[in-house]
Amino acid sequence: MRNTTGCTAFALFAFALLIFASPAHAAFQPRISVATQTINDKTFASVTINDRPAFTLRTSAGGYPPSERADAAAGRLQGVVENWALPVAVKAVKVDGSTWSITIHDGSLLLVTSAEAAAHGMKLPDLARTWAKNIHDLLAEPPFTVSKRSLIVPMRETRTVVIGGAVSTDQITMTSSSPGVAQLQFNPATRRLIVGGAAPGKTVVSIRAAQGQSSAQLDFTVSVLKYAAQIDPTATVTITGTPAASLATTYTAIYTGLSRAIAPEPGAIVRFLSKPGVSRPPAPGERIRITVPVTVRGANLLPVESSATITVVNQAVGQRPASRLFYSNHPERVMRSQNLFLAKIFPDIATRLDYHHQNGSGQPLIFHADLINSSETPVRVHMIAGISDPGADTIQVGRRAGSRYLRASQANDGTVLDVPAFSRIPIISQRLGVEQTVSGIVDLRPIGGGPAVTLSISADGDDQTVSSPITALLTATAGNSAFISPALDHSSEGESSEALSPWVFGPPLIERDASFNVGGSWTYMRIGNNDSLKDTTGKLLLYGNYGVDYVINLKLSNPTTELKTVGLFFAPEAGSVAGVFRVDDGPIIEFDPTLPPNEPIIGRIPLAAGETRTVRLRTMPLNGSFYPMSIIAHSL
């Protein structure tokens, strides 16, 4: 076995000559130290340079244990940093088949043995060269190093930067070019700088140190960015419907839930990676869950990729006839961005909204209706809606709205909206092109008590910022026929100081009795004639009674001895008019715009000899149509 004691003595002598041969002093000297650890009763010793391990000794050599070998090597390195200009040449040199030497300026610093290489599971030449490179690189480090020269920190989060280099922590000072953007917290013990994102923006963090006439500085940039969106992984939306909610309402609820779950920043682009699919709507008491993956990106925003699971619950909520009618039609032709209607909806009072507006401004507008809760108590509102796609044919737009409303009302097909305290939620958002008309009939009833809420309707410029940044996406994805309830817009503005609208009328229901005898004169049942609803002051009249339910109990008698058939006919009188009717519990019957003297048939009622029966007719004056019109009963 080779005697390494003599080699060690030679190394010490050679190193002593090396230290005093050519003295020089650096302003910021590398920090040399020894760290030991014991594993399974074996003590290992590492020599660190600037707190980073240069090499770890696991075996004894020349009778010296790892700790003593490390202490000796650390002392030699300290002599180098104190007396030589850095960087210095560090080499791995073969001594013989079982020993290599690590040298500085050709003087031996440390002997690496084959036993040491075996303890590290490496080949002897590889271990020696690795240690030599580590020592060289660490001794050559500048006064400062940072783990990241450019750092991105999300708002209200923190990121960590490790500060290395030769400078000791008691010499370090830090400044920020924009202190309001990032918060700095430095831990000297760990040399870790915690950077907190305080406000969007960019700042330059400067790390400085001074010693005598010498100084050092290192700058790195910190960018604080918002996430493109905050995404809640779950949201629940409540709907109603018997025997089940419609597919349209179910999909609307899903998009409503997505809009609540996704709160994008202005300018962010939201993309659904897959469209939600529903096999069947939920029946009362049932629920379905739909998971939609989503990405949100935008300039100067951190991208977000996540998913939201929307639970749609069909809850049994009873209907109640509307006792008030809000009529939003003034102006009918909207020439600029403006508020259109403002009124209060009181607790547990069913209120019907009928709106019909045409965009005459010459530029696209966004029509939207919002519910505002300015109290500290949350409110739930049951909503049954018939909303038309915007279109150029104002009569057809009104027909679609009335037809959809009657179908939804017939099945109690609606949504329960949650309006939190001190919040404003849009319930309708539709993009209205130039010369397009928007129309809808909506029943709104606060349920479960609570304060009154305010209904606000307006038309604004199409800048994609009204109501919610996600509105444009949802109206494009879900279709304008679906109402949209985007993410909550908590506001401290409170209620508008604008005066309440006068176009508030009593119960939107007119019920009549009529009769027809086979063989007698025709029976005319006029709709929208001289029975106009009055507002709460009695001064305003609702000419045409748009949005009002007409229920006619028609008594039919056949005094003859033969089977007879009575025809019910739709008869326009004042101009082009569309029609929507229901006879008893039959299907909804629709008519496209019809001009007089055309009188299409609504239905045929057979009467046996001597039979008397009462038929219940339901209709509604439709927005955009011209009234009065009549339902005529006569024998066929």
Side-chain angles (χ1 to χ4, degrees):
M1 180 178 292
R2 187 178 186 279
N3 186 347
T4 57
T5 304
C7 291
T8 302
F10 170 78
L12 289 171
F13 174 75
F15 208 86
L17 294 178
L18 181 64
I19 289 175
F20 296 106
S22 197
H25 188 74
F28 298 99
Q29 299 174 359
R31 294 171 287 109
I32 311 298
S33 62
V34 175
T36 61
Q37 59 178 329
T38 301
I39 301 176
N40 295 329
D41 296 329
K42 293 183 178 181
T43 299
F44 302 154
S46 299
V47 174
T48 66
I49 303 175
N50 299 333
D51 299 325
R52 296 169 63 187
F55 54 89
T56 298
L57 298 173
R58 299 185 177 184
T59 64
S60 299
Y64 296 97
S67 58
E68 292 186 22
R69 296 179 64 203
D71 287 338
R76 298 166 200 158
L77 280 176
Q78 189 65 45
V80 170
V81 302
E82 291 179 357
N83 294 278
W84 285 87
L86 300 177
V88 293
V90 182
K91 299 178 182 179
V93 179
K94 182 178 180 180
V95 176
D96 56 31
S98 61
T99 307
W100 280 57
S101 175
I102 297 177
T103 66
I104 295 182
H105 285 306
D106 298 323
S108 182
L109 169 68
L110 174 70
L111 295 179
V112 185
T113 66
S114 56
E116 190 71 46
H120 285 269
M122 297 178 65
K123 294 180 179 180
L124 177 57
D126 294 340
L127 180 63
R129 293 186 181 111
T130 297
W131 284 0
K133 185 178 186 306
N134 289 348
I135 296 167
H136 175 271
D137 292 347
L138 291 173
L139 289 177
E141 276 191 341
F144 290 120
T145 63
V146 289
S147 54
K148 297 178 181 177
R149 292 298 297 265
S150 180
L151 186 66
I152 295 177
V153 182
M155 271 277 291
R156 293 181 291 275
E157 293 187 17
T158 62
R159 295 294 184 266
T160 300
V161 176
V162 178
I163 299 176
V167 175
S168 61
T169 55
D170 58 354
Q171 297 173 303
I172 294 176
T173 60
M174 296 182 191
T175 60
S176 173
S177 62
S178 299
V181 171
Q183 298 173 337
L184 308 179
Q185 184 178 358
F186 182 56
N187 186 338
T190 61
R191 297 181 71 92
R192 280 168 168 75
L193 173 63
I194 299 174
V195 183
K202 182 174 288 188
T203 185
V204 176
V205 176
S206 297
I207 307 172
R208 298 185 179 92
Q211 180 175 302
Q213 300 299 316
S214 300
S215 63
Q217 178 173 328
L218 183 145
D219 297 339
F220 67 95
T221 60
V222 175
S223 298
V224 177
L225 302 177
K226 291 183 177 181
Y227 284 111
Q230 298 297 320
I231 299 180
D232 193 328
T234 61
T236 300
V237 182
T238 301
I239 62 176
T240 63
T242 304
S246 66
L247 270 175
T249 295
T250 304
Y251 276 109
T252 294
I254 292 170
Y255 285 109
T256 297
L258 288 169
S259 67
R260 292 176 183 174
I262 304 169
E265 292 294 326
I269 297 174
V270 182
R271 289 190 174 91
F272 298 142
L273 300 183
S274 65
K275 291 185 177 181
V278 177
S279 58
R280 68 174 182 85
E286 291 183 345
R287 63 182 60 206
I288 61 172
R289 290 184 176 87
I290 302 294
T291 299
V292 180
V294 61
T295 64
V296 189
R297 300 178 183 275
N300 298 316
L301 296 168
L302 293 173
V304 176
E305 294 188 9
S306 187
S307 63
T309 298
I310 310 304
T311 300
V312 181
V313 180
N314 188 335
Q315 177 180 329
V317 176
Q319 278 183 279
R320 184 175 297 179
S323 57
R324 296 204 307 166
L325 173 66
F326 293 167
Y327 186 57
S328 180
N329 186 244
H330 301 275
E332 180 175 357
R333 187 168 170 81
V334 181
M335 305 303 294
R336 57 183 174 82
S337 296
Q338 65 181 100
N339 295 326
L340 299 172
F341 189 87
L342 190 72
K344 287 185 176 295
I345 301 175
F346 294 98
D348 215 36
I349 294 179
T351 300
R352 178 172 299 168
L353 165 66
D354 182 17
Y355 65 88
H356 190 77
H357 296 279
Q358 185 181 47
N359 180 10
S361 68
Q363 63 181 0
L365 295 173
I366 292 182
F367 172 89
H368 56 110
D370 300 342
L371 289 179
I372 304 169
N373 180 8
S374 58
S375 76
E376 61 183 9
T377 304
V379 178
R380 304 195 89 200
V381 178
H382 186 207
M383 176 174 171
I384 296 176
I387 296 175
S388 173
D389 304 331
D393 188 328
T394 184
I395 300 178
Q396 287 283 28
V397 169
R399 178 192 63 78
R400 288 193 296 266
S403 170
R404 290 171 181 174
Y405 169 76
L406 288 179
R407 285 181 166 82
S409 177
Q410 175 181 331
N412 194 24
D413 185 14
T415 302
V416 177
L417 301 175
D418 293 300
V419 189
F422 304 114
S423 69
R424 177 187 188 112
I425 67 166
I427 58 172
I428 304 165
S429 295
Q430 291 182 298
R431 188 180 187 277
L432 195 55
V434 176
E435 297 300 325
Q436 285 190 330
T437 297
V438 65
S439 189
I441 303 169
V442 183
D443 283 350
L444 297 159
R445 178 169 70 93
I447 56 178
V453 293
T454 301
L455 173 67
S456 173
I457 301 176
S458 60
D460 295 315
D462 185 11
D463 57 5
Q464 298 189 15
T465 61
V466 296
S467 303
S468 166
I470 200 172
T471 297
L473 169 76
L474 292 179
T475 51
T477 306
N480 281 321
S481 61
F483 70 88
I484 302 298
S485 176
L488 296 178
D489 176 19
H490 292 278
S491 172
S492 59
E493 297 176 0
E495 294 184 27
S496 171
S497 59
E498 182 186 359
L500 297 178
S501 301
W503 300 94
V504 177
F505 300 89
L509 173 64
I510 294 176
E511 189 163 4
R512 293 178 182 167
D513 294 329
S515 62
F516 172 74
N517 293 320
V518 173
S521 300
W522 292 7
T523 296
Y524 288 81
M525 296 155 278
R526 303 194 80 191
I527 306 297
N529 186 22
N530 56 2
D531 51 4
S532 300
L533 294 187
K534 294 182 179 181
D535 77 328
T536 53
T537 68
K539 298 178 181 179
L540 295 176
L541 296 178
L542 181 60
Y543 294 109
N545 279 343
Y546 295 98
V548 174
D549 280 317
Y550 275 78
V551 177
I552 301 174
N553 300 304
L554 176 61
K555 183 178 179 181
L556 301 175
S557 297
N558 178 13
T560 72
T561 58
E562 299 177 358
L563 174 68
K564 296 292 182 179
T565 301
V566 177
L568 304 177
F569 297 87
F570 166 44
E573 297 178 17
S576 183
V577 59
V580 178
F581 304 92
R582 190 182 185 200
V583 180
D584 288 331
D585 294 325
I588 301 294
I589 303 166
E590 298 184 51
F591 295 93
D592 284 328
T594 304
L595 286 167
N598 298 294
E599 295 178 355
I601 191 167
I602 299 171
R604 294 173 172 84
I605 310 297
L607 292 175
E611 181 182 1
T612 296
R613 59 181 290 195
T614 298
V615 174
R616 185 176 176 88
L617 301 174
R618 183 181 180 186
T619 188
M620 173 182 288
L622 301 177
N623 294 326
S625 292
F626 295 90
Y627 292 89
M629 53 77 65
S630 289
I631 300 174
I632 304 174
H634 63 77
S635 300
L636 295 178

